[in-house]
């Protein structure tokens, strides 16, 4: 067996064995996960979710609603259309012969309202059941204008002069605290990035914890640790799964960017999708780095897959809280003081800052500050996690208390 | 010459003293049998050799220096808690473990084929471990220990759960390893096997080595012993007043009416014993005898318990 002829197969001891071990562990994780159904299915689900979501937004929300109206008076038709347009209602006015013809179109659903000007200047709106709430004030204003014109005419004035004077009368608004301009595109992208980050960091974090427990359950960890250090095993696992997660995020983000560009759904919106996705990517790396080692340590405390959930619960809660705030509070209230404050807290920043970025309420210095705080925290977490992992990973059996795992053995 | 030295290891778990000054040495090319009851400290000692567990005090020396992680990568290890990746193929994990131990990818792939062929597992190379029978999983585990051409072999209960053919293969592999200069340490409860395989044995009891040495040296009795197949000892022992019967039982050979007698006699005059036995009837077998490892083990363990 150990004949001298086979010895050259062994690499020289001078090679940086530590990095090589970490690389080999990471490589095994990548190769194994790539073939795993969990990864393939979750990636497929996420990619199709963003693609379908963007396509749906494109086809459903892409066109504004044009209100179909009819009137019996052809001279009135133009006035009706002008007034509704002035009120911001897209409308298309057709002229029908009489009320019964209009009613027929109403019941067939071709038009939404039949407007009949009365001889007294009052308007009658015939509708199927209720008058559209945006149309009501428009018609009300139109009726008032008609009544005014009648009075001006009967007093000998010129209704068009009066109308022009009325139309030019305006209110200038001087807001002390103007609301931040934001549009639906920013909100959608912000929420999508928030969801994507939460799902990806969560899935990858659980993979780390599950992988640690798998090695404990199958007892292979003892054989591994006779060859590599616990810190190398943990680092390799975290880096390997991190690479897989990054690949997933890039696939999903890329699919989103391509679909959005192809459909032009975000064109004209106040948002740079590329920049937002880049920040999403950065925050995925930071978020994963923050949680992965912690989850590896928590996973090392238990020996059975059934216990992984309860062991990792504290860390998972730390993801869920900012996630809930991020996708529920921020889109409605982008400057929420709570969400803004929490977006600097390590562990929470990865779920809040990218949404604030997408909403356009986080300046570059703010984002860099949050990034710096998070990055500074990671070595501390890695140190604690490495200690817990190293002390706990070879102890199979009952769940180990966190305090015991922190003690030197 | 001595290559692996276990020097005064102490290990406690709380109040429990798992190891209490364990010392022994294994030379290159030597097969060392590690024997002891359950919980005596065999696995703890092996784990400390591998660095999987830290001792409270004491040293493990390899070629006269404290063993390093780099040295430990040259150890072929079979843990008592068997374990490989259940969902990985035999080939993938053998290659993985070989590469972790510093073997190149190409050489690792060749070694995986070579060792599975040697262990009659080649036809299962691309099956997942969990699809293998327990016996074949055991072979895969041994292959994982041997895959990187180790310079030291540490095997915790390598024979447990093996069928007789696999026991033969395993014994052969251990002998070959030793013949190529590798020190081999293995633990086993199968004392007859340990006796035939090992150059030296160590008996551990409650964290202390109670005997270390070659089976011959350890088992050399105070007085010479002889085994006689012949007439019942009552018929001829009268002429040997100093002799003392150790064992007496009917022969297990079918059709034989002779009695097997093991006796010890101060001074060790074998010819007198044979003459006495022949005087009482035909003798079908006569040979000097020495205690087995099993006898020795029972003896040292009961002595130890008696002194506690």
């Amino acid at each position: 067996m150990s004949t001298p002829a086979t010895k050259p197969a062994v690499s020289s001891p001078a090679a940086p064995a530590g990095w090589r071990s970490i690389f080999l562990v990471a490589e095994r994780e990548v190769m194994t996960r790539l073939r795993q159904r969990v990864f393939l299915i979750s990636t497929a689900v996420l990619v199709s979710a963003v693609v379908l979501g963007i396509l749906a937004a494109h086809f459903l929300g892409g066109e504004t609603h044009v209100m179909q109206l009819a009137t019996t008076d052809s001279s009135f038709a133009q006035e009706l259309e002008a007034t509704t347009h002035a009120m911001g209602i897209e409308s298309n006015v057709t002229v029908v012969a009489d009320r019964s013809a209009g009613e027929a179109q109403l019941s067939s659903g071709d038009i939404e309202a039949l407007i009949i000007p009365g001889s007294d200047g009052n308007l009658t709106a015939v509708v199927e059941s209720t008058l559209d709430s945006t149309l009501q004030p428009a018609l009300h204003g139109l009726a008032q204008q008609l009544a005014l014109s009648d009075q001006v005419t009967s007093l000998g004035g010129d209704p068009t002069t009066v109308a022009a004077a009325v139309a030019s009368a305006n209110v200038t608004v001087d807001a002390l605290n103007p609301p931040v301009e934001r549009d639906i595109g920013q909100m959608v992208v912000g929420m999508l990035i928030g969801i994507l980050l939460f799902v990806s960091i969560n899935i990858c974090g659980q993979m780390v914890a599950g992988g640690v427990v798998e090695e404990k359950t199958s007892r292979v960890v003892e054989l591994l640790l006779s060859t590599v250090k616990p810190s190398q095993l943990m680092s390799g696992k975290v880096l390997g799964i991190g690479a897989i997660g990054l690949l997933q995020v890039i696939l999903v983000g890329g699919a989103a960017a391509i679909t959005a560009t192809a459909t032009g759904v975000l064109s004209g919106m106040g948002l740079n999708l590329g920049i937002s996705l880049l920040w999403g990517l950065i925050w995925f790396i930071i978020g994963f780095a923050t949680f992965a080692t912690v989850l590896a340590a928590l996973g090392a405390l238990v020996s059975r897959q059934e216990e992984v959930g309860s062991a990792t619960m504290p860390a998972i809660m730390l993801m869920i809280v900012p996630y809930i705030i991020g996708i529920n509070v921020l889109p409605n209230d982008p400057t929420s003081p709570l969400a803004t404050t929490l977006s600097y807290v390590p562990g929470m920043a990865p779920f809040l800052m990218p949404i604030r970025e997408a909403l356009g309420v986080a300046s570059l210095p703010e984002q860099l500050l949050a990034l710096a705080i998070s990055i500074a925290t990671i070595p501390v977490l890695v140190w604690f996690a490495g200690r817990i992992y190293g002390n706990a990973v070879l102890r199979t059996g009952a769940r180990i208390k966190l305090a015991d795992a922190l003690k030197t053995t | 010459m001595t290559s692996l030295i276990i020097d005064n290891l102490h290990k406690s778990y709380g109040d429990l003293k798992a190891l209490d000054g364990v010392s022994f040495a294994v030379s290159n090319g030597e097969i060392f049998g590690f024997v002891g009851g359950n919980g005596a400290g065999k696995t703890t000692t092996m784990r400390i050799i591998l660095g999987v567990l830290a001792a409270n005090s004491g040293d493990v020396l390899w070629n006269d220096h404290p063993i390093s992680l780099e040295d430990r990568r040259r150890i072929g290890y079979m843990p008592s808690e068997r374990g490989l990746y259940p969902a990985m193929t035999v080939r993938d994990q053998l290659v993985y473990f070989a590469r972790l131990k510093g073997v190149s990818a190409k050489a690792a792939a060749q070694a995986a084929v070579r060792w599975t062929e040697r262990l009659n597992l080649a036809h299962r190379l691309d099956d997942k471990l969990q699809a293998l029978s327990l016996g074949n999983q055991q072979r895969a585990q041994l292959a994982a220990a041997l895959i990187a051409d180790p310079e030291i072999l540490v095997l915790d209960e390598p024979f447990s759960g093996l069928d007789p053919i696999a026991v033969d293969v395993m014994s052969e592999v251990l002998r070959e390893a030793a013949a190529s200069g590798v020190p081999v340490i293995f633990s086993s409860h199968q004392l007859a096997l340990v006796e035939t395989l090992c150059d030296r044995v160590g008996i551990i009891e409650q964290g202390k080595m109670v005997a270390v040495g070659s089976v011959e040296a350890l088992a050399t009795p105070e007085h010479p012993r002889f085994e006689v197949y012949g007439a019942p000892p009552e018929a001829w022992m009268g002429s040997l007043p100093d002799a003392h019967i150790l064992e007496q039982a009917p022969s297990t050979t079918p059709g034989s009416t002779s009695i097997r007698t093991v006796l010890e006699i101060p001074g060790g005059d074998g010819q007198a014993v044979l003459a006495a036995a022949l005087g009482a009837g035909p003798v079908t077998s006569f040979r000097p005898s020495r205690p087995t490892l099993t006898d020795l083990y029972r003896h040292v363990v009961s002595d130890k318990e008696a002194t506690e």
Side-chain angles (χ1 to χ4, degrees), chain A residues 273-301:
Chain A
L273 186 64
I275 298 283
S276 291
L277 286 175
L278 188 64
W279 274 111
L281 210 59
I282 291 170
W283 281 112
F284 168 79
I285 295 169
I286 300 302
F288 180 75
T290 307
F291 281 98
T293 50
V294 172
L295 286 169
L298 293 176
L301 297 177

PDB file of all heavy atoms in Angstrom, chain A residues 273-301:
ATOM      1  N   LEU A 273     -32.993  50.443 -12.147  1.00  0.00           N
ATOM      2  CA  LEU A 273     -33.105  49.040 -11.752  1.00  0.00           C
ATOM      3  C   LEU A 273     -31.725  48.404 -11.547  1.00  0.00           C
ATOM      4  O   LEU A 273     -31.511  47.658 -10.603  1.00  0.00           O
ATOM      5  CB  LEU A 273     -33.889  48.262 -12.814  1.00  0.00           C
ATOM      6  CG  LEU A 273     -34.197  46.809 -12.450  1.00  0.00           C
ATOM      7  CD1 LEU A 273     -35.111  46.725 -11.251  1.00  0.00           C
ATOM      8  CD2 LEU A 273     -34.805  46.068 -13.630  1.00  0.00           C
ATOM      9  N   GLY A 274     -30.797  48.730 -12.427  1.00  0.00           N
ATOM     10  CA  GLY A 274     -29.456  48.148 -12.332  1.00  0.00           C
ATOM     11  C   GLY A 274     -28.811  48.461 -10.993  1.00  0.00           C
ATOM     12  O   GLY A 274     -28.278  47.582 -10.324  1.00  0.00           O
ATOM     13  N   ILE A 275     -28.903  49.742 -10.580  1.00  0.00           N
ATOM     14  CA  ILE A 275     -28.301  50.153  -9.308  1.00  0.00           C
ATOM     15  C   ILE A 275     -29.005  49.448  -8.145  1.00  0.00           C
ATOM     16  O   ILE A 275     -28.363  48.929  -7.224  1.00  0.00           O
ATOM     17  CB  ILE A 275     -28.409  51.686  -9.132  1.00  0.00           C
ATOM     18  CG1 ILE A 275     -27.631  52.400 -10.247  1.00  0.00           C
ATOM     19  CG2 ILE A 275     -27.934  52.103  -7.748  1.00  0.00           C
ATOM     20  CD1 ILE A 275     -26.135  52.401 -10.063  1.00  0.00           C
ATOM     21  N   SER A 276     -30.324  49.393  -8.207  1.00  0.00           N
ATOM     22  CA  SER A 276     -31.070  48.756  -7.122  1.00  0.00           C
ATOM     23  C   SER A 276     -30.699  47.285  -7.001  1.00  0.00           C
ATOM     24  O   SER A 276     -30.531  46.756  -5.899  1.00  0.00           O
ATOM     25  CB  SER A 276     -32.576  48.890  -7.350  1.00  0.00           C
ATOM     26  OG  SER A 276     -32.964  50.225  -7.196  1.00  0.00           O
ATOM     27  N   LEU A 277     -30.568  46.599  -8.145  1.00  0.00           N
ATOM     28  CA  LEU A 277     -30.206  45.179  -8.103  1.00  0.00           C
ATOM     29  C   LEU A 277     -28.782  44.993  -7.588  1.00  0.00           C
ATOM     30  O   LEU A 277     -28.502  44.055  -6.846  1.00  0.00           O
ATOM     31  CB  LEU A 277     -30.351  44.542  -9.490  1.00  0.00           C
ATOM     32  CG  LEU A 277     -31.790  44.300  -9.944  1.00  0.00           C
ATOM     33  CD1 LEU A 277     -31.823  43.778 -11.380  1.00  0.00           C
ATOM     34  CD2 LEU A 277     -32.496  43.308  -9.020  1.00  0.00           C
ATOM     35  N   LEU A 278     -27.893  45.916  -7.960  1.00  0.00           N
ATOM     36  CA  LEU A 278     -26.513  45.827  -7.485  1.00  0.00           C
ATOM     37  C   LEU A 278     -26.465  45.954  -5.963  1.00  0.00           C
ATOM     38  O   LEU A 278     -25.797  45.182  -5.272  1.00  0.00           O
ATOM     39  CB  LEU A 278     -25.667  46.916  -8.137  1.00  0.00           C
ATOM     40  CG  LEU A 278     -24.163  46.808  -7.874  1.00  0.00           C
ATOM     41  CD1 LEU A 278     -23.611  45.540  -8.493  1.00  0.00           C
ATOM     42  CD2 LEU A 278     -23.432  48.028  -8.418  1.00  0.00           C
ATOM     43  N   TRP A 279     -27.237  46.923  -5.440  1.00  0.00           N
ATOM     44  CA  TRP A 279     -27.305  47.054  -3.988  1.00  0.00           C
ATOM     45  C   TRP A 279     -27.920  45.808  -3.366  1.00  0.00           C
ATOM     46  O   TRP A 279     -27.502  45.347  -2.306  1.00  0.00           O
ATOM     47  CB  TRP A 279     -28.109  48.297  -3.589  1.00  0.00           C
ATOM     48  CG  TRP A 279     -27.256  49.531  -3.541  1.00  0.00           C
ATOM     49  CD1 TRP A 279     -27.310  50.597  -4.393  1.00  0.00           C
ATOM     50  CD2 TRP A 279     -26.213  49.820  -2.596  1.00  0.00           C
ATOM     51  NE1 TRP A 279     -26.368  51.522  -4.052  1.00  0.00           N
ATOM     52  CE2 TRP A 279     -25.677  51.084  -2.950  1.00  0.00           C
ATOM     53  CE3 TRP A 279     -25.670  49.142  -1.504  1.00  0.00           C
ATOM     54  CZ2 TRP A 279     -24.641  51.678  -2.239  1.00  0.00           C
ATOM     55  CZ3 TRP A 279     -24.634  49.733  -0.797  1.00  0.00           C
ATOM     56  CH2 TRP A 279     -24.130  50.982  -1.165  1.00  0.00           C
ATOM     57  N   GLY A 280     -28.914  45.246  -4.033  1.00  0.00           N
ATOM     58  CA  GLY A 280     -29.528  44.012  -3.540  1.00  0.00           C
ATOM     59  C   GLY A 280     -28.493  42.906  -3.416  1.00  0.00           C
ATOM     60  O   GLY A 280     -28.439  42.182  -2.426  1.00  0.00           O
ATOM     61  N   LEU A 281     -27.633  42.815  -4.423  1.00  0.00           N
ATOM     62  CA  LEU A 281     -26.579  41.801  -4.443  1.00  0.00           C
ATOM     63  C   LEU A 281     -25.598  42.013  -3.284  1.00  0.00           C
ATOM     64  O   LEU A 281     -25.231  41.085  -2.563  1.00  0.00           O
ATOM     65  CB  LEU A 281     -25.840  41.908  -5.775  1.00  0.00           C
ATOM     66  CG  LEU A 281     -25.228  40.649  -6.351  1.00  0.00           C
ATOM     67  CD1 LEU A 281     -26.302  39.603  -6.576  1.00  0.00           C
ATOM     68  CD2 LEU A 281     -24.530  40.968  -7.662  1.00  0.00           C
ATOM     69  N   ILE A 282     -25.191  43.272  -3.107  1.00  0.00           N
ATOM     70  CA  ILE A 282     -24.259  43.599  -2.012  1.00  0.00           C
ATOM     71  C   ILE A 282     -24.888  43.225  -0.675  1.00  0.00           C
ATOM     72  O   ILE A 282     -24.265  42.580   0.167  1.00  0.00           O
ATOM     73  CB  ILE A 282     -23.895  45.093  -2.044  1.00  0.00           C
ATOM     74  CG1 ILE A 282     -23.029  45.381  -3.277  1.00  0.00           C
ATOM     75  CG2 ILE A 282     -23.175  45.507  -0.759  1.00  0.00           C
ATOM     76  CD1 ILE A 282     -22.815  46.858  -3.555  1.00  0.00           C
ATOM     77  N   TRP A 283     -26.153  43.584  -0.515  1.00  0.00           N
ATOM     78  CA  TRP A 283     -26.800  43.299   0.768  1.00  0.00           C
ATOM     79  C   TRP A 283     -27.078  41.817   0.958  1.00  0.00           C
ATOM     80  O   TRP A 283     -27.150  41.330   2.080  1.00  0.00           O
ATOM     81  CB  TRP A 283     -28.074  44.134   0.932  1.00  0.00           C
ATOM     82  CG  TRP A 283     -27.754  45.541   1.338  1.00  0.00           C
ATOM     83  CD1 TRP A 283     -27.923  46.669   0.601  1.00  0.00           C
ATOM     84  CD2 TRP A 283     -27.177  45.961   2.586  1.00  0.00           C
ATOM     85  NE1 TRP A 283     -27.486  47.769   1.286  1.00  0.00           N
ATOM     86  CE2 TRP A 283     -27.031  47.372   2.512  1.00  0.00           C
ATOM     87  CE3 TRP A 283     -26.765  45.304   3.740  1.00  0.00           C
ATOM     88  CZ2 TRP A 283     -26.494  48.117   3.564  1.00  0.00           C
ATOM     89  CZ3 TRP A 283     -26.230  46.049   4.782  1.00  0.00           C
ATOM     90  CH2 TRP A 283     -26.106  47.434   4.684  1.00  0.00           C
ATOM     91  N   PHE A 284     -27.200  41.081  -0.129  1.00  0.00           N
ATOM     92  CA  PHE A 284     -27.324  39.624   0.029  1.00  0.00           C
ATOM     93  C   PHE A 284     -26.033  39.070   0.638  1.00  0.00           C
ATOM     94  O   PHE A 284     -26.060  38.288   1.577  1.00  0.00           O
ATOM     95  CB  PHE A 284     -27.591  38.929  -1.309  1.00  0.00           C
ATOM     96  CG  PHE A 284     -27.433  37.432  -1.206  1.00  0.00           C
ATOM     97  CD1 PHE A 284     -28.436  36.656  -0.656  1.00  0.00           C
ATOM     98  CD2 PHE A 284     -26.249  36.815  -1.588  1.00  0.00           C
ATOM     99  CE1 PHE A 284     -28.278  35.292  -0.509  1.00  0.00           C
ATOM    100  CE2 PHE A 284     -26.078  35.443  -1.438  1.00  0.00           C
ATOM    101  CZ  PHE A 284     -27.102  34.682  -0.901  1.00  0.00           C
ATOM    102  N   ILE A 285     -24.902  39.510   0.072  1.00  0.00           N
ATOM    103  CA  ILE A 285     -23.605  39.014   0.567  1.00  0.00           C
ATOM    104  C   ILE A 285     -23.444  39.368   2.046  1.00  0.00           C
ATOM    105  O   ILE A 285     -23.081  38.531   2.874  1.00  0.00           O
ATOM    106  CB  ILE A 285     -22.453  39.590  -0.279  1.00  0.00           C
ATOM    107  CG1 ILE A 285     -22.557  39.072  -1.714  1.00  0.00           C
ATOM    108  CG2 ILE A 285     -21.096  39.242   0.324  1.00  0.00           C
ATOM    109  CD1 ILE A 285     -21.635  39.766  -2.698  1.00  0.00           C
ATOM    110  N   ILE A 286     -23.746  40.624   2.386  1.00  0.00           N
ATOM    111  CA  ILE A 286     -23.602  41.059   3.778  1.00  0.00           C
ATOM    112  C   ILE A 286     -24.574  40.294   4.682  1.00  0.00           C
ATOM    113  O   ILE A 286     -24.205  39.806   5.750  1.00  0.00           O
ATOM    114  CB  ILE A 286     -23.862  42.582   3.884  1.00  0.00           C
ATOM    115  CG1 ILE A 286     -22.857  43.351   3.029  1.00  0.00           C
ATOM    116  CG2 ILE A 286     -23.810  43.039   5.340  1.00  0.00           C
ATOM    117  CD1 ILE A 286     -21.410  43.108   3.389  1.00  0.00           C
ATOM    118  N   GLY A 287     -25.821  40.186   4.235  1.00  0.00           N
ATOM    119  CA  GLY A 287     -26.828  39.502   5.056  1.00  0.00           C
ATOM    120  C   GLY A 287     -26.475  38.047   5.258  1.00  0.00           C
ATOM    121  O   GLY A 287     -26.568  37.513   6.363  1.00  0.00           O
ATOM    122  N   PHE A 288     -26.036  37.405   4.180  1.00  0.00           N
ATOM    123  CA  PHE A 288     -25.670  35.990   4.288  1.00  0.00           C
ATOM    124  C   PHE A 288     -24.471  35.821   5.216  1.00  0.00           C
ATOM    125  O   PHE A 288     -24.460  34.957   6.085  1.00  0.00           O
ATOM    126  CB  PHE A 288     -25.360  35.417   2.906  1.00  0.00           C
ATOM    127  CG  PHE A 288     -24.971  33.970   2.949  1.00  0.00           C
ATOM    128  CD1 PHE A 288     -25.924  32.986   3.163  1.00  0.00           C
ATOM    129  CD2 PHE A 288     -23.646  33.586   2.812  1.00  0.00           C
ATOM    130  CE1 PHE A 288     -25.567  31.656   3.222  1.00  0.00           C
ATOM    131  CE2 PHE A 288     -23.282  32.261   2.872  1.00  0.00           C
ATOM    132  CZ  PHE A 288     -24.251  31.292   3.078  1.00  0.00           C
ATOM    133  N   ALA A 289     -23.469  36.695   5.042  1.00  0.00           N
ATOM    134  CA  ALA A 289     -22.275  36.604   5.886  1.00  0.00           C
ATOM    135  C   ALA A 289     -22.642  36.817   7.354  1.00  0.00           C
ATOM    136  O   ALA A 289     -22.058  36.208   8.242  1.00  0.00           O
ATOM    137  CB  ALA A 289     -21.230  37.618   5.448  1.00  0.00           C
ATOM    138  N   THR A 290     -23.605  37.691   7.610  1.00  0.00           N
ATOM    139  CA  THR A 290     -24.022  37.952   8.984  1.00  0.00           C
ATOM    140  C   THR A 290     -24.710  36.738   9.588  1.00  0.00           C
ATOM    141  O   THR A 290     -24.424  36.342  10.714  1.00  0.00           O
ATOM    142  CB  THR A 290     -24.988  39.152   9.027  1.00  0.00           C
ATOM    143  OG1 THR A 290     -24.375  40.255   8.369  1.00  0.00           O
ATOM    144  CG2 THR A 290     -25.340  39.522  10.458  1.00  0.00           C
ATOM    145  N   PHE A 291     -25.608  36.130   8.822  1.00  0.00           N
ATOM    146  CA  PHE A 291     -26.441  35.083   9.394  1.00  0.00           C
ATOM    147  C   PHE A 291     -25.847  33.678   9.256  1.00  0.00           C
ATOM    148  O   PHE A 291     -26.106  32.811  10.090  1.00  0.00           O
ATOM    149  CB  PHE A 291     -27.838  35.113   8.764  1.00  0.00           C
ATOM    150  CG  PHE A 291     -28.703  36.187   9.344  1.00  0.00           C
ATOM    151  CD1 PHE A 291     -28.861  37.400   8.697  1.00  0.00           C
ATOM    152  CD2 PHE A 291     -29.339  35.995  10.562  1.00  0.00           C
ATOM    153  CE1 PHE A 291     -29.646  38.402   9.244  1.00  0.00           C
ATOM    154  CE2 PHE A 291     -30.124  36.988  11.116  1.00  0.00           C
ATOM    155  CZ  PHE A 291     -30.278  38.197  10.456  1.00  0.00           C
ATOM    156  N   ALA A 292     -25.062  33.444   8.199  1.00  0.00           N
ATOM    157  CA  ALA A 292     -24.641  32.066   7.910  1.00  0.00           C
ATOM    158  C   ALA A 292     -23.816  31.457   9.039  1.00  0.00           C
ATOM    159  O   ALA A 292     -24.073  30.335   9.471  1.00  0.00           O
ATOM    160  CB  ALA A 292     -23.850  32.029   6.608  1.00  0.00           C
ATOM    161  N   THR A 293     -22.811  32.220   9.543  1.00  0.00           N
ATOM    162  CA  THR A 293     -21.970  31.632  10.584  1.00  0.00           C
ATOM    163  C   THR A 293     -22.776  31.444  11.868  1.00  0.00           C
ATOM    164  O   THR A 293     -22.604  30.464  12.577  1.00  0.00           O
ATOM    165  CB  THR A 293     -20.747  32.518  10.869  1.00  0.00           C
ATOM    166  OG1 THR A 293     -21.193  33.853  11.079  1.00  0.00           O
ATOM    167  CG2 THR A 293     -19.791  32.499   9.699  1.00  0.00           C
ATOM    168  N   VAL A 294     -23.691  32.394  12.133  1.00  0.00           N
ATOM    169  CA  VAL A 294     -24.531  32.270  13.329  1.00  0.00           C
ATOM    170  C   VAL A 294     -25.401  31.019  13.218  1.00  0.00           C
ATOM    171  O   VAL A 294     -25.531  30.240  14.163  1.00  0.00           O
ATOM    172  CB  VAL A 294     -25.413  33.530  13.490  1.00  0.00           C
ATOM    173  CG1 VAL A 294     -26.427  33.331  14.600  1.00  0.00           C
ATOM    174  CG2 VAL A 294     -24.542  34.742  13.768  1.00  0.00           C
ATOM    175  N   LEU A 295     -25.960  30.805  12.023  1.00  0.00           N
ATOM    176  CA  LEU A 295     -26.813  29.629  11.838  1.00  0.00           C
ATOM    177  C   LEU A 295     -25.987  28.341  11.885  1.00  0.00           C
ATOM    178  O   LEU A 295     -26.472  27.314  12.364  1.00  0.00           O
ATOM    179  CB  LEU A 295     -27.574  29.740  10.511  1.00  0.00           C
ATOM    180  CG  LEU A 295     -28.718  30.749  10.556  1.00  0.00           C
ATOM    181  CD1 LEU A 295     -29.261  31.030   9.165  1.00  0.00           C
ATOM    182  CD2 LEU A 295     -29.846  30.249  11.448  1.00  0.00           C
ATOM    183  N   ALA A 296     -24.752  28.394  11.407  1.00  0.00           N
ATOM    184  CA  ALA A 296     -23.883  27.215  11.499  1.00  0.00           C
ATOM    185  C   ALA A 296     -23.656  26.861  12.963  1.00  0.00           C
ATOM    186  O   ALA A 296     -23.732  25.699  13.360  1.00  0.00           O
ATOM    187  CB  ALA A 296     -22.544  27.481  10.808  1.00  0.00           C
ATOM    188  N   ALA A 297     -23.401  27.893  13.781  1.00  0.00           N
ATOM    189  CA  ALA A 297     -23.166  27.665  15.207  1.00  0.00           C
ATOM    190  C   ALA A 297     -24.419  27.119  15.884  1.00  0.00           C
ATOM    191  O   ALA A 297     -24.356  26.167  16.661  1.00  0.00           O
ATOM    192  CB  ALA A 297     -22.728  28.963  15.872  1.00  0.00           C
ATOM    193  N   LEU A 298     -25.571  27.717  15.567  1.00  0.00           N
ATOM    194  CA  LEU A 298     -26.811  27.253  16.201  1.00  0.00           C
ATOM    195  C   LEU A 298     -27.125  25.824  15.758  1.00  0.00           C
ATOM    196  O   LEU A 298     -27.598  25.015  16.541  1.00  0.00           O
ATOM    197  CB  LEU A 298     -27.970  28.197  15.860  1.00  0.00           C
ATOM    198  CG  LEU A 298     -27.862  29.609  16.462  1.00  0.00           C
ATOM    199  CD1 LEU A 298     -29.006  30.487  15.987  1.00  0.00           C
ATOM    200  CD2 LEU A 298     -27.855  29.547  17.987  1.00  0.00           C
ATOM    201  N   GLY A 299     -26.848  25.526  14.481  1.00  0.00           N
ATOM    202  CA  GLY A 299     -27.076  24.171  13.983  1.00  0.00           C
ATOM    203  C   GLY A 299     -26.206  23.155  14.700  1.00  0.00           C
ATOM    204  O   GLY A 299     -26.633  22.045  14.988  1.00  0.00           O
ATOM    205  N   ALA A 300     -24.970  23.575  15.028  1.00  0.00           N
ATOM    206  CA  ALA A 300     -24.032  22.652  15.668  1.00  0.00           C
ATOM    207  C   ALA A 300     -24.491  22.240  17.065  1.00  0.00           C
ATOM    208  O   ALA A 300     -23.993  21.263  17.620  1.00  0.00           O
ATOM    209  CB  ALA A 300     -22.645  23.280  15.740  1.00  0.00           C
ATOM    210  N   LEU A 301     -25.450  22.985  17.619  1.00  0.00           N
ATOM    211  CA  LEU A 301     -25.905  22.678  18.983  1.00  0.00           C
ATOM    212  C   LEU A 301     -26.799  21.444  19.022  1.00  0.00           C
ATOM    213  O   LEU A 301     -26.997  20.857  20.074  1.00  0.00           O
ATOM    214  CB  LEU A 301     -26.677  23.869  19.571  1.00  0.00           C
ATOM    215  CG  LEU A 301     -25.885  25.168  19.756  1.00  0.00           C
ATOM    216  CD1 LEU A 301     -26.804  26.261  20.260  1.00  0.00           C
ATOM    217  CD2 LEU A 301     -24.741  24.955  20.730  1.00  0.00           C
TER     218      LEU A 301
END
